[in-house]
Amino acid sequence: MQTDFAGVLPELRRVQTSRLHPRHLTSLSYAEGDGRGRATFETTFDRKTGLITLRQGKEEVTLPLTTEYHDPVSLLLWLRGLGEQDRATTRLTGGQVLVQRLPDTDVNEVPARAYFLRPGGAYVYVEREAPHRLLRLIQPTDFGPVEALLQPARKGPPERRRRRAS
């Protein structure tokens, strides 16, 4: 996933790479950087050795892997399958995340489930019906809230452009 920020935020690019467990949607590894070389932050969850390795710059730390973890990308995918639960908790390497279900709403006329994540104060809106696409994300920052409105995929064949001969 690549995110380019502009507007009220300083111009910046974040590239997030997440490898997931195919069934549980928990993280196998996660990296974040500017997309121009080596990641500035990496996490690896090694189930064979039972260790989590965290790298930031030249610093590296290992911890025992005692539970399943999500990363920012896998957390969003996991939310798509959360369903009707009012509350749920999960873990990121930074700590526990509480997911609170809010009243359903519409996003661009698409019925959506709404979730509030703490800590962090993010709002996530997921399409109510299958395939449960992510529709809207709101994340508070030091510069004000950043909102991503994700457009549902078009139905039907892609639009073709025709050139007119002159």
Side-chain angles (χ1 to χ4, degrees), residues 82-88 98-103 114-116:
L82 197 55
E84 303 295 324
Q85 294 183 50
D86 286 336
R87 289 180 183 265
L98 173 65
V99 178
Q100 180 181 353
R101 175 95 183 267
L102 300 175
Y115 300 100
F116 179 66

Side-chain angles (χ1 to χ4, degrees), residues 66-149:
T66 58
T67 189
E68 297 292 332
Y69 286 85
H70 283 100
D71 59 57
V73 176
S74 70
L75 175 63
L76 294 174
L77 295 175
W78 176 75
L79 281 173
R80 292 177 61 199
L82 197 55
E84 303 295 324
Q85 294 183 50
D86 286 336
R87 289 180 183 265
T89 57
T90 190
R91 302 227 14 120
L92 272 77
T93 54
Q96 185 168 292
V97 176
L98 173 65
V99 178
Q100 180 181 353
R101 175 95 183 267
L102 300 175
D104 288 356
T105 188
D106 284 355
V107 175
N108 287 344
E109 300 179 13
V110 176
R113 294 189 305 248
Y115 300 100
F116 179 66
L117 282 59
R118 284 187 293 208
Y123 293 88
V124 179
Y125 298 83
V126 176
E127 182 178 30
R128 188 155 173 66
E129 302 300 323
H132 308 295
R133 295 171 293 194
L134 294 170
L135 299 173
R136 183 178 182 202
L137 310 169
I138 303 172
Q139 176 67 54
T141 72
D142 293 341
F143 304 99
V146 173
E147 181 173 349
L149 190 58

Side-chain angles (χ1 to χ4, degrees), residues 37-67:
R38 189 180 166 122
T40 55
F41 178 80
E42 296 176 90
T43 307
T44 306
F45 302 92
D46 188 338
R47 282 151 180 80
K48 286 184 182 179
T49 63
L51 293 175
I52 302 170
T53 303
L54 299 148
R55 282 184 206 94
Q56 187 163 6
K58 295 180 182 187
E59 307 260 338
E60 183 175 303
V61 173
T62 58
L63 306 165
L65 178 59
T66 58
T67 189

